[in-house]
């Protein structure tokens, strides 16, 4: 059974940082492409970043240069470092694999998703 468990969310002031973690189990982690997404009210699930088994990273333009994805195959964990956070980054953040996405947004009914971790950026 595929399991994805996010952690690391919280309340942070604008300009601050957080590191999200996603602990994975139940599949061949070393070769899997893992993704981070967030739920945008009224828009759906915005794809943010991915990292494949070779460590190749991809980013959405909205977070490029501020967010950094990484993975630790020994710990079967993928991370998302969030820097220079803005109030508009407030959202529930999800780790997921095997996605179906169009136009930068993905369907939560497709693939495997964690339960999410809340990030709130506020002064």
């Amino acid at each position: 059974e595929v399991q994805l468990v996010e952690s690391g969310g919280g309340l942070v002031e604008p300009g601050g940082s957080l590191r999200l973690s996603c602990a994975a189990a139940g599949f061949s982690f070393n070769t899997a492409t893992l993704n981070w997404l967030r739920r945008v009210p009224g828009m759906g699930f915005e794809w943010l970043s991915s990292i494949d088994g070779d460590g190749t990273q991809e980013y959405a333009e909205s977070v490029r240069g501020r967010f950094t994805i990484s993975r630790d195959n020994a710990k079967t964990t993928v991370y998302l470092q969030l820097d220079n956070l803005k109030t508009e980054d407030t959202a529930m953040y999800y780790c997921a694999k095997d996605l179906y996405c169009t136009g930068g947004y993905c369907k939560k009914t497709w693939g495997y998703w964690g339960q999410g971790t809340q990030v709130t950026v506020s002064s």
Side-chain angles (χ1 to χ4, degrees):
E1 178 187 3
V2 173
Q3 293 185 333
L4 299 167
V5 180
E6 301 95 334
S7 61
L11 173 64
V12 62
E13 293 185 349
S17 298
L18 284 173
R19 189 176 81 153
L20 308 183
S21 300
C22 173
F27 60 95
S28 297
F29 182 87
N30 290 12
T31 58
T33 296
L34 279 299
N35 302 267
W36 283 98
L37 306 94
R38 64 188 177 191
R39 184 167 188 170
V40 179
M43 295 295 292
F45 296 91
E46 179 188 14
W47 176 83
L48 301 175
S49 182
S50 67
I51 185 166
D52 69 11
D54 293 328
T56 301
Q57 304 162 23
E58 302 283 350
Y59 296 94
E61 284 302 317
S62 59
V63 303
R64 188 186 304 276
R66 299 190 300 121
F67 293 4
T68 305
I69 194 170
S70 62
R71 66 191 295 159
D72 185 333
N73 288 344
K75 295 182 178 180
T76 64
T77 299
V78 62
Y79 303 97
L80 188 68
Q81 177 69 36
L82 286 60
D83 295 318
N84 190 21
L85 282 161
K86 306 175 182 180
T87 55
E88 54 262 42
D89 293 319
T90 295
M92 185 71 82
Y93 285 70
Y94 296 88
C95 172
K97 65 186 289 291
D98 299 338
L99 296 174
Y100 176 77
C101 308
T102 58
Y105 289 83
C106 307
K107 295 185 180 295
K108 198 170 184 292
T109 53
W110 195 278
Y112 300 92
W113 296 62
Q115 83 290 349
T117 187
Q118 177 69 35
V119 171
T120 302
V121 185
S122 175
S123 55

